[in-house]
Structures are given as C-alpha cells and as structure tokens.
Amino acid sequence: MSGFTVAIVGRPNVGKSTLFNRLLEQRKAIVDDFSGVTRDRQYGVCDWNGKTFNVIDTGGFVSRSEDVFEKEIRNQVHIAIEESDVLIFVTDVTAGITDLDDDMAQLLRRSDKPVLLAVNKVDNSERQLDATEFYVLGFEDTFFISSISGSGSGDLLDRVTELFPEGYMGLPVEETEEIETEDEDGNIIKMIREKNPLPKIAIIGQPNAGKSTLLNALTGKERTIVSDIAGTTRDSIHTHYKQFGKEFVLIDTAGIRKKKNVQEDLEFYSVIRAINAMDEADVCMLLIDAEKGITAQDVNIFSLAARKGKGIVVLVNKWDLIEEKHTNSARDYEKQLKERIAPFTDVPVIFISAKDKMRIFQAMEKALEVCESRTQRIPTSVLNDVMLKEIERFTPPMVRGHSVKIKFVMQLPTYTPAFAFYCSHPDDLKTPYRHFLENKIREHYNFNGVPIRIFFRKK
C-alpha cells in the first residue's frame, strides 16, 4: 500500500472501530457493543494538521480460538501488521489487562514496527489512575484516550506524524473541480467533483452469492473473509485495483436481504452501507446464485440500481455447480432472467465461477466497458439527424384530435445518460412511445448495461 500506513489492532470490543471513525472524522466502520463486529480490514485516510496518512481498522484479535471467523480475523490482522508502518495497540481501561491483551502485546513485540499503546475509554480522573497499570506492558509510547469524545487523540496523532520518514510529504491530494451541470428538471446547478476520478465498481447481491469470493479472486489476495455463513461481510470494503493496465476501485458490500428478514441492528447498518456503496459506484455488478436462479429479491436489487442510474452487469455465479448443462443452457437461462428484469433488458449477462476464477476478468472488462458507455456524450446535431428520422418513420399517436410534434432532441449534461425531447404537447406522450424512443437510442448507440432517462419538454 503506497504512503505511510497506520494499523489499529487489539482484542475484540476495545473501541478500535470507534477510534478509526474518529481519525477519519466519518462513520465509515460499523460500531456495536458486542465483540466481532469488524471482520475485514477497513482502509481510510486521516488528515492531521495538513499531514495525511492511511489508516487500517482490523477485527478483534483472539489468539487461540478455533471459531471460523476469529481464525480468519487473525489472518486479516497479520496482513494489516505487515502492510503498516506504525501500529496503534488499543486496550480497554474498564477491563484492565487481559490474557488476550498479553497475547496481542507478545505478537507486537515480535514485530519491528513502532507500537503506540492507546488505553481507551479514559474519560475521567478515576480511570486515568486505573490506566497507569498498562505501563506494565512495557511500551514506551503510551496514551490515555477516549475514542468517543476524542480526548487524548491529538497527542496520539502528533506522535504518529513524528514517526513519518524524512522527506515524506503525505498522501497525494485529490484534485477537484467545479462544474456546471443540468438536473433532471432543466435547472443549471454547480457540482464539485474529482478530476479524472477512478471508476468505482460495486459488487452487490443477496447474502452468500459469492461477492467476497469474487473480490478475492480478482485481487489475488485474501482481502475479505469468505464463509458459507450468510452475513459474513458487514462493512463495505473498498479496494484499489491496479493490475494488467487497468485501474479502478472495487467495493465489496454486505448481502441485501428483504427488509422483513432483517432483524438485527447490525445487519440493518450493513444493508444501509451496501445501498450507500451503490450511490457511490459508477457500475454495479449484480451477483446471482446460479443454483437458486433469479429471485424476487434479486429483481428488487436490480431495480434499485437501475433507479439510481448505475451501470449494471449481471453475473450468474456458481455456474460450475449446474449439472447436466447442454449447448443452449446459458442462452435459455439468460432468456428467463431477462424476462424477470423487463423492461430494462439491455444488460450484459456473464456466467462465472468466482471460486474457480472462470470468466471473472471478462466480467471486469465488461464492467469497465459499461462505465465508459455511461459517460459517452452524443453531439446534438448527430442525435437530431438520427432520432428525428426515426420519429418521422413512427410518429407519436394522435391524442384528443391533435398530433404531437417532436421538433428537437438533446442529451442532458447529467451523470446518468438522459435525453430531452422538445415537443408541442409533452404531457400527451405516454410510456409505450417513451420505450420506443429509448429502444431507438440503444439501437444506434452503445448503452449496453446503462439505464437511460427520457424527458419530454415543451418547445
């Protein structure tokens, strides 16, 4: 990982994610009162007095547990330690020094990285006195902090920045620009956006569809924990992908279940973050379990991504598990799938196996192609030459004795492809004709996998 990196480590439920959110000044990691909430490594950027560095949040370290998740979390913690330049070892003053703290301390002593001991939840004078027992752990840099209030975090961050290597200038600052764009109602609005932003691709779907397996297969690393237990992934995990001449951001999300099936607060927040990840993304790769087929919830997730105007690629995962396949199996499956997601059927469907890495890079290529199609701009003169001829061949139907005349068409300067048709009676044009115009645009221009919005305006 490029740049100076700090990893936050410690046993479960000492406040690591709360400290992570405090350093980032945003609620990026899910926080709850019981242990084991954080599982995968979370990355963020901290800015302290103009000095920027990477921060990694990790799950709670349990040294000798045979629990399936705690074993995987241990691996994630070891990877984070290897990736980092400085380690912040978080403990809990209210619990005192536990056996798990001793195990963590022994692991960190074997590392050659600087260790800053942060005794958390020190928010009154009595606890300050109790915190002095942590000096026995033998770490020279010990800080008494409260992650919730921020008390003591300034001294901790000052020490982190003192450990920057000579000549380190911090992470590169993302350049932004102010642009004028048009909203869907035709109003000119100003927006701030990144200059040359990287494409963001979110992996979405129901629990256990194979989203984390796909992320790990694409990156070639154990970036996220994978298990057969639904709900393994909780936070939305961002991964910068830069290989084979391609560069983009992959976002692994928690599985999205029906609202009536979400009973725990923890899963509720996971789903909220998954939906927020869809807002952030340019393209969504929707994973469907080939064995289960496309369900009503898959259709709901697809419709949500389409309503948000995101590019969509449908990946039918676990295709290797389908037995008795014949020549037309994929074609027939795709036909049934598109019948369920109608009317928006101009989407690429790729049959993959994330576990066996079958066609996963083809899926990635297609996602980047959809991302490019989503940003294409068609010159107004070219658009009018093409679309007015199509309208002439198939004119709008008569309404209440008068004909609707479409005189001009232009593409609106919005993030999601949108087209305005200026006509004499915009309110009289109905959905079937709207679909006709959309199909003709798709026929002439490549908007495969991209939702299109059409507006009728008074000329």
Side-chain angles (χ1 to χ4, degrees):
M1 186 172 192
S2 60
F4 191 82
T5 303
V6 176
I8 301 173
V9 297
R11 65 175 178 80
N13 221 32
V14 291
K16 297 183 297 299
S17 293
T18 307
L19 177 60
F20 178 76
N21 289 342
R22 167 67 57 184
L23 298 186
L24 268 59
E25 297 183 317
Q26 56 180 288
R27 297 181 67 177
K28 188 172 182 181
I30 297 175
V31 175
D32 212 318
D33 286 335
F34 66 88
S35 66
V37 173
T38 303
R39 288 172 175 169
D40 304 299
R41 306 190 312 280
Q42 269 269 48
Y43 291 79
V45 175
C46 174
D47 183 342
W48 179 246
N49 291 336
K51 298 174 180 178
T52 52
F53 55 92
N54 299 304
V55 185
I56 311 176
D57 183 24
T58 63
F61 184 87
V62 181
S63 56
R64 289 179 287 273
S65 171
E66 291 302 313
D67 177 83
V68 60
F69 288 125
E70 289 178 344
K71 285 167 71 176
E72 290 295 334
I73 288 169
R74 280 204 299 276
N75 295 335
Q76 296 281 320
V77 172
H78 282 294
I79 293 169
I81 290 172
E82 288 173 16
E83 289 182 341
S84 63
D85 300 290
V86 170
L87 302 164
I88 296 178
F89 174 24
V90 183
T91 56
D92 180 356
V93 68
T94 61
I97 299 173
T98 67
D99 290 342
L100 292 177
D101 290 323
D102 279 329
D103 292 341
M104 187 81 241
Q106 285 180 34
L107 173 68
L108 297 180
R109 287 190 198 101
R110 291 196 294 270
S111 167
D112 58 355
K113 311 287 175 69
V115 178
L116 311 182
L117 174 61
V119 185
N120 193 24
K121 307 180 186 178
V122 181
D123 45 20
N124 58 47
S125 54
E126 186 180 336
R127 287 185 175 180
Q128 275 194 329
L129 190 61
D130 294 340
T132 56
E133 75 164 298
F134 285 85
Y135 284 119
V136 77
L137 291 174
F139 293 105
E140 184 179 344
D141 293 305
T142 300
F143 301 88
F144 301 160
I145 68 166
S146 171
S147 297
I148 289 180
S149 68
S151 169
S153 60
D155 293 336
L156 177 66
L157 287 168
D158 284 340
R159 181 60 183 140
V160 168
T161 55
E162 285 171 10
L163 293 169
F164 281 3
E166 193 174 339
Y168 177 71
M169 302 299 291
L171 300 173
V173 178
E174 290 180 349
E175 290 188 52
T176 59
E177 60 182 352
E178 185 177 79
I179 61 164
E180 286 190 346
T181 186
E182 185 174 1
D183 66 14
E184 293 168 0
D185 299 319
N187 302 312
I188 299 296
I189 57 173
K190 290 186 177 180
M191 293 183 66
I192 302 292
R193 71 171 185 186
E194 292 177 41
K195 277 188 179 178
N196 306 315
L198 290 177
K200 291 186 175 69
I201 301 170
I203 306 172
I204 62 173
Q206 292 196 69
N208 248 25
K211 299 180 294 298
S212 295
T213 305
L214 176 60
L215 177 68
N216 289 344
L218 286 168
T219 58
K221 300 174 183 175
E222 294 302 308
R223 179 66 184 86
T224 53
I225 294 172
V226 174
S227 83
D228 293 330
I229 302 168
T232 298
T233 301
R234 287 171 171 168
D235 293 295
S236 294
I237 306 300
H238 291 57
T239 304
H240 187 169
Y241 183 98
K242 191 175 183 181
Q243 295 181 60
F244 311 115
K246 308 289 184 187
E247 188 174 9
F248 50 87
V249 175
L250 274 170
I251 310 172
D252 183 22
T253 63
I256 303 173
R257 295 202 295 169
K258 287 183 180 177
K259 193 180 289 184
K260 69 182 180 68
N261 295 331
V262 177
Q263 295 170 358
E264 295 180 356
D265 287 346
L266 188 58
E267 187 177 354
F268 171 77
Y269 290 121
S270 296
V271 171
I272 290 296
R273 276 162 169 74
I275 293 170
N276 288 343
M278 290 170 68
D279 287 329
E280 186 183 354
D282 301 300
V283 176
C284 294
M285 295 198 298
L286 171 60
L287 258 69
I288 291 171
D289 189 323
E291 291 185 299
K292 294 179 182 175
I294 184 164
T295 65
Q297 181 63 1
D298 291 319
V299 175
N300 289 337
I301 297 170
F302 177 89
S303 301
L304 179 61
R307 285 200 305 274
K308 290 177 178 290
K310 305 302 175 181
I312 304 173
V313 178
V314 178
L315 305 182
V316 182
N317 191 26
K318 307 181 186 179
W319 189 242
D320 55 310
L321 300 180
I322 300 296
E323 297 177 359
E324 298 180 9
K325 290 194 284 284
H326 52 81
T327 308
N328 296 324
S329 291
R331 186 197 67 183
D332 296 342
Y333 197 107
E334 182 175 341
K335 184 182 176 184
Q336 291 176 7
L337 188 151
K338 288 191 173 180
E339 284 172 0
R340 295 291 305 276
I341 62 175
F344 177 30
T345 58
D346 184 21
V347 293
V349 178
I350 301 174
F351 295 84
I352 70 165
S353 168
K355 187 178 178 183
D356 295 340
K357 300 187 178 181
M358 181 177 79
R359 299 193 196 96
I360 60 170
F361 294 105
Q362 182 184 332
M364 235 30 270
E365 293 277 355
K366 181 56 71 174
L368 291 170
E369 189 181 305
V370 169
C371 188
E372 197 171 323
S373 298
R374 188 169 176 261
T375 58
Q376 69 176 310
R377 294 287 175 263
I378 303 165
T380 302
S381 58
V382 174
L383 191 60
N384 277 275
D385 285 346
V386 171
M387 290 306 297
L388 292 182
K389 285 176 185 174
E390 295 290 356
I391 291 165
E392 210 174 296
R393 289 193 195 101
F394 190 83
T395 56
M398 297 273 290
V399 180
R400 294 191 296 274
H402 61 254
S403 60
V404 178
K405 295 195 181 296
I406 297 176
K407 301 170 184 176
F408 182 73
V409 55
M410 67 172 287
Q411 184 176 359
L412 301 177
T414 54
Y415 280 152
T416 301
F419 298 86
F421 289 80
Y422 292 86
C423 52
S424 52
H425 300 280
D427 295 336
D428 292 335
L429 285 167
K430 305 302 180 187
T431 301
Y433 200 75
R434 187 189 298 272
H435 288 162
F436 162 75
L437 293 174
E438 179 181 334
N439 289 337
K440 286 301 174 185
I441 290 172
R442 292 186 183 280
E443 192 178 297
H444 289 282
Y445 307 102
N446 179 22
F447 283 106
N448 184 227
V450 182
I452 291 176
R453 290 174 179 160
I454 289 177
F455 303 95
F456 300 119
R457 291 181 179 167
K458 180 76 175 173
K459 175 65 176 172

